[in-house]
């Protein structure tokens, strides 16, 4: 038995190492998009969400790039739709479309627009207008239950996004419906468009607030895939909807952005791109 557990532990470690390598590759894709897209992208918000989205797609969700329309797949809703580059980079890494296509981000007629759209293979819900993702997730989770499907629904929101009243209405509804196939993840990077989240409108104590709406809630380091995975596993045991507050850094991995709001919307200069690449390679 002990030997078997050790083998399983080793397998888990190997999987986590593969995931970390993929995360590095995804981070590189985002840096490339930041350099190549003339319009500028929400790079800070994208870099803060990578570990969460990648852990979901590569370690947790049941999905298939060969059958994007498979009815019983798990669903992911990027409610903070401005972080679309992170989702596109993960989907490309997972094989939903060629990585080469990432170069067409925000181009006319491209399948990769500035915010998620159903024309992109692998995108489960359109988003961009903040506040709506949990409501969409409730519909999907309820539909899955009604057709007896094992499908689970994951929604990622921003902490600034919590200013939207619809977030709190949907939290109340999901708890009322006891949707134990719905998981919310909050990207708690501490910044929103204009300033720090706590300066614009205080969110703390966010965990207590979400719990008080009837959600089992966990707090994790949002850049540690192992911890994210542990929390996602716990969410599966909840009687109702469950939430994870992922403590993250906006602009994670690029020093001149980290802990600031410089990367809220940005296009890299050549020098910035080179600096970011050097940092990534050294990481
Ligand atoms: C309804 C709505 N209002 C305003 C915006 C413009 N907007 C885009 S990103 C953003 C800030 C969101 O902050 P947060 O959720 O903390 O995301 P972060 O970029 O910090 O990850 C805002 C206000 C929007 N997309 N939707």
């Amino acid at each position: 038995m002990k030997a078997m557990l050790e083998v399983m532990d080793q397998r888990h470690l190997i999987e986590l190492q593969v995931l970390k390598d993929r995360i590095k590759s995804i981070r590189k894709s985002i840096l490339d998009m930041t350099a190549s897209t003339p319009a500028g992208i929400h790079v800070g918000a994208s870099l803060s969400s990578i570990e969460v989205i990648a852990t979901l797609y590569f370690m947790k969700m049941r999905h298939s790039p060969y059958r994007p329309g498979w009815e019983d797949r798990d669903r992911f809703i990027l409610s903070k739709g401005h972080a679309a580059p992170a989702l596109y980079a993960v989907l490309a890494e997972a094989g939903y479309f060629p990585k080469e296509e990432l170069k067409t981000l925000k181009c006319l007629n491209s399948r990769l627009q500035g915010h998620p759209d159903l024309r992109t293979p692998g995108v489960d819900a359109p988003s961009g207008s903040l506040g709506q993702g949990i409501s969409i997730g409730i519909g999907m989770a309820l539909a899955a239950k009604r057709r007896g499907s094992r499908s689970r629904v994951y929604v990622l929101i921003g902490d600034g996004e919590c200013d939207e009243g619809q977030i709190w209405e949907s939290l109340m509804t999901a708890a009322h419906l006891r949707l134990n196939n719905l998981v919310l993840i909050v990207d708690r990077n501490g910044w929103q468009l204009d300033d720090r989240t706590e300066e614009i409108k205080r969110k703390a104590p966010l965990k207590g607030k979400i719990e008080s709406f009837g959600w089992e809630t966990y707090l994790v380091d949002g850049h540690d895939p192992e911890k994210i995975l542990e929390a996602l596993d716990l969410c599966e045991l909840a009687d109702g909807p469950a939430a994870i507050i992922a403590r993250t850094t906006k602009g994670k991995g690029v020093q001149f952005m980290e802990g600031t709001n410089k990367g809220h919307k940005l296009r890299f200069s050549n020098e910035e791109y080179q600096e970011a690449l050097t940092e990534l390679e050294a990481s």
Side-chain angles (χ1 to χ4, degrees):
M1 184 66 180
K2 188 167 172 270
M4 205 171 105
L5 284 177
E6 274 168 12
V7 170
M8 282 174 69
D9 272 357
Q10 291 234 343
R11 198 176 298 161
H12 187 62
L13 285 179
I14 293 166
E15 282 173 359
L16 274 170
Q17 192 47 53
V18 171
L19 175 64
K20 284 177 186 166
D21 293 344
R22 285 184 158 181
I23 286 171
K24 200 164 173 178
S25 160
I26 291 162
R27 199 162 247 117
K28 163 87 168 49
S29 296
I30 292 176
L31 299 185
D32 290 347
M33 283 185 269
T34 313
S36 66
T37 311
I41 67 169
H42 286 94
V43 58
S46 299
L47 291 173
S48 74
S49 310
I50 297 179
E51 282 83 358
V52 166
I53 305 178
T55 304
L56 278 169
Y57 274 89
F58 296 119
M59 301 289 275
K60 179 50 67 183
M61 285 168 52
R62 294 158 60 245
H63 68 105
S64 165
Y66 308 107
R67 290 167 69 203
W70 173 37
E71 199 180 27
D72 289 327
R73 71 190 183 281
D74 293 338
R75 308 298 202 270
F76 175 69
I77 301 167
L78 182 68
S79 190
K80 48 169 278 185
H82 55 286
L87 176 58
Y88 297 154
V90 170
L91 290 175
E93 192 74 32
Y96 279 89
F97 49 83
K99 275 194 189 178
E100 195 55 23
E101 199 168 336
L102 293 173
K103 286 188 187 144
T104 69
L105 174 66
K106 283 184 151 184
C107 290
L108 209 58
N109 299 324
S110 165
R111 295 195 292 183
L112 308 180
Q113 288 304 306
H115 292 87
D117 183 285
L118 290 178
R119 86 184 79 171
T120 310
V123 167
D124 288 322
S127 57
S129 185
L130 295 168
Q132 300 178 354
I134 308 173
S135 304
I136 299 171
I138 288 174
M140 288 177 175
L142 203 53
K145 277 190 177 289
R146 294 213 169 147
R147 49 170 212 278
S149 168
R150 281 175 59 200
S151 168
R152 296 178 61 76
V153 184
Y154 298 90
V155 182
L156 178 64
I157 66 171
D159 49 2
E161 185 175 358
C162 293
D163 287 355
E164 296 288 340
Q166 188 174 348
I167 294 285
W168 304 96
E169 294 173 4
S170 53
L171 285 176
M172 204 159 32
T173 305
H176 175 76
L177 295 169
R178 295 196 180 84
L179 292 176
N180 60 351
N181 54 349
L182 179 65
V183 175
L184 168 69
I185 302 139
V186 187
D187 181 350
R188 184 77 163 117
N189 62 32
W191 290 92
Q192 56 194 90
L193 192 151
D194 293 318
D195 205 341
R196 292 182 187 272
T197 50
E198 304 308 287
E199 294 297 325
I200 299 288
K201 201 186 282 180
R202 192 169 51 255
K203 277 75 180 169
L206 193 55
K207 181 169 181 283
K209 283 176 185 165
I210 297 175
E211 273 169 347
S212 76
F213 276 68
W215 290 56
E216 203 163 300
T217 308
Y218 301 94
L219 193 59
V220 299
D221 173 349
H223 295 302
D224 183 339
E226 203 169 355
K227 296 286 175 238
I228 297 168
L229 192 58
E230 271 173 27
L232 286 168
D233 287 347
L234 287 172
C235 288
E236 285 182 30
L237 306 174
D239 290 335
I244 297 172
I245 299 176
R247 272 205 230 95
T248 60
T249 301
K250 202 159 175 172
K252 174 74 178 173
V254 182
Q255 228 168 42
F256 78 85
M257 277 193 269
E258 278 192 5
T260 75
N261 217 15
K262 278 188 201 133
H264 185 74
K265 194 168 186 188
L266 184 75
R267 182 179 187 223
F268 280 147
S269 66
N270 272 341
E271 297 71 41
E272 286 168 336
Y273 177 58
Q274 289 309 329
E275 194 182 320
L277 272 191
T278 311
E279 260 184 67
L280 180 70
E281 272 150 26
S283 69

